[in-house]
Amino acid sequence: VVFHNKPLLWAEGFFIGYMRRLSPTYLFAGDNQLNWRVGSSLGILYLFEFPLIVLVILKIIRTRSRVGFFLLGLALIAPIPAAFTTETPHPLRSIGGIPALSILSAWGLSEFLQVFRQRRVILYALGVLAVLNIANYFHFYYNHFPYYSSFDWQYGHKEVAQYVKSNYEKYDRIVMTPKFGQPYIFMLFYLQYDPIKYQAEVAQKGIEAQKSFDKFEFKNINLLQEENNKTSLLVASEEQINKGDPREKKVVYFKMPNEIAFIIADTGTK
């Protein structure tokens, strides 16, 4: 009872989540990031900002700066709400602390230039590190991020919509898996579905309009059950329809090589 109870477990979870968000390896090196940043050495802040923030923290403590303590307070308070949540540490839930940390970093740069203004080698070293950090960020963002993040950003819905649009009149039903989020939003957008028409369906069905509108039905696909519907287009995950199935029409991949997003198949056309 003393060591195994909900309050203690919640407190432990909060403490771990909070400390993870303040970890230098998370803030500056990208350690323990979520899937959409796996493989990145990027943190919430650039690595070259680490010595700048350390330098300004030492100055704040030494001079007892009220402004400095206020900024530190903001940086320490910001992770509290996110520490209660799952998926720790979560970059998006760390945004609240970025303004204070960025101001501290800029202040630290000012201090760094004053302290080492006579030591150009150190200044050049920081400059080179900053250029490399920033170049690495843009390299990762444009060359790696689209691949690592394609699953988390629901890549593939546009390709599905394009196929559906070109074959729309061939089918009486279009059944699509909701495995990767809320597919109705993507279909409405990419097919440029008439908003007035959809709003009328929402007024009639309420939230159920998210599960079906016009020819669309959004549900997990059971291929055996769908065989009775002779003019249906099926947009399924790999677990629901195997690649190479005789009814397969198109395979949509994530940007990561050979990772399947959707398998499009049918039970027959009109």
Side-chain angles (χ1 to χ4, degrees), residues 20 31 43 51 65 72 85-86 103 109 122-123 155 163 182 184 257 263-264:
R20 280 180 177 174
D31 187 31
S65 166
L72 287 177
T85 65
T86 58
I103 294 171
L109 177 60
I122 296 178
L123 294 178
Y155 183 84
Y163 184 89
Q182 300 289 338
Y184 81 98
I263 294 176
I264 302 175

Side-chain angles (χ1 to χ4, degrees), residues 59-74:
K59 170 158 186 178
I60 290 170
I61 295 173
R62 187 177 68 254
T63 61
R64 298 181 181 180
S65 166
R66 291 185 178 181
V67 173
F69 281 124
F70 173 75
L71 291 171
L72 287 177
L74 289 179

Side-chain angles (χ1 to χ4, degrees), residues 47-59 62 103-130:
L47 183 59
F48 75 86
E49 294 179 273
F50 177 68
L52 304 180
I53 291 179
V54 170
L55 180 64
V56 78
I57 288 175
L58 293 176
K59 170 158 186 178
R62 187 177 68 254
I103 294 171
L104 289 170
S105 177
W107 187 356
L109 177 60
S110 175
E111 293 298 319
F112 191 91
L113 294 175
Q114 292 184 36
V115 172
F116 297 102
R117 61 181 180 273
Q118 302 300 328
R119 300 182 183 182
R120 293 191 176 182
V121 173
I122 296 178
L123 294 178
Y124 290 151
L126 180 67
V128 169
L129 179 59

Side-chain angles (χ1 to χ4, degrees), residues 40-269:
S40 167
S41 59
L42 303 173
I44 299 299
L45 301 171
Y46 288 114
L47 183 59
F48 75 86
E49 294 179 273
F50 177 68
L52 304 180
I53 291 179
V54 170
L55 180 64
V56 78
I57 288 175
L58 293 176
K59 170 158 186 178
I60 290 170
I61 295 173
R62 187 177 68 254
T63 61
R64 298 181 181 180
S65 166
R66 291 185 178 181
V67 173
F69 281 124
F70 173 75
L71 291 171
L72 287 177
L74 289 179
L76 293 173
I77 289 172
I80 291 177
F84 287 102
T85 65
T86 58
E87 297 181 324
T88 59
H90 195 301
L92 294 179
R93 295 170 188 162
S94 301
I95 289 177
I98 297 300
L101 291 171
S102 297
I103 294 171
L104 289 170
S105 177
W107 187 356
L109 177 60
S110 175
E111 293 298 319
F112 191 91
L113 294 175
Q114 292 184 36
V115 172
F116 297 102
R117 61 181 180 273
Q118 302 300 328
R119 300 182 183 182
R120 293 191 176 182
V121 173
I122 296 178
L123 294 178
Y124 290 151
L126 180 67
V128 169
L129 179 59
V131 170
L132 291 175
N133 279 177
I134 295 171
N136 179 54
Y137 166 77
F138 282 106
H139 171 76
F140 176 80
Y141 184 79
Y142 286 108
N143 294 283
H144 298 281
F145 180 78
Y147 294 89
Y148 286 119
S149 67
S150 61
F151 175 88
D152 298 278
W153 291 108
Q154 300 166 306
Y155 183 84
H157 285 86
K158 181 178 181 180
E159 288 73 11
V160 169
Q162 289 171 339
Y163 184 89
V164 168
K165 186 174 183 178
S166 61
N167 295 275
Y168 201 75
E169 300 305 323
K170 297 179 182 179
Y171 303 98
D172 291 322
R173 296 170 67 246
I174 301 171
V175 186
M176 186 171 182
T177 178
K179 178 179 178 179
F180 303 112
Q182 300 289 338
Y184 81 98
I185 297 174
F186 295 96
M187 295 304 105
L188 290 170
F189 178 79
Y190 287 120
L191 296 176
Q192 298 182 339
Y193 194 78
D194 186 352
I196 296 177
K197 184 178 178 181
Y198 182 68
Q199 288 168 8
E201 294 187 48
V202 172
Q204 181 181 5
K205 298 181 181 179
I207 197 171
E208 292 299 313
Q210 297 179 11
K211 298 180 181 179
S212 66
F213 68 87
D214 200 58
K215 295 181 181 181
F216 282 96
E217 296 177 27
F218 303 101
K219 63 181 183 179
N220 291 324
I221 295 172
N222 185 316
L223 195 54
L224 293 176
Q225 293 177 357
E226 293 299 333
E227 287 178 345
N228 296 323
N229 300 300
K230 300 302 182 182
T231 56
S232 296
L233 183 68
L234 310 176
V235 183
S237 65
E238 190 176 13
E239 295 83 8
Q240 296 164 349
I241 298 179
N242 294 324
K243 186 177 184 298
D245 188 285
R247 289 153 289 202
E248 176 190 303
K249 296 298 179 182
K250 181 180 177 65
V251 179
V252 177
Y253 292 90
F254 292 114
K255 278 189 170 289
M256 288 293 283
N258 301 318
E259 287 195 6
I260 295 175
F262 299 101
I263 294 176
I264 302 175
D266 72 15
T267 60
T269 58

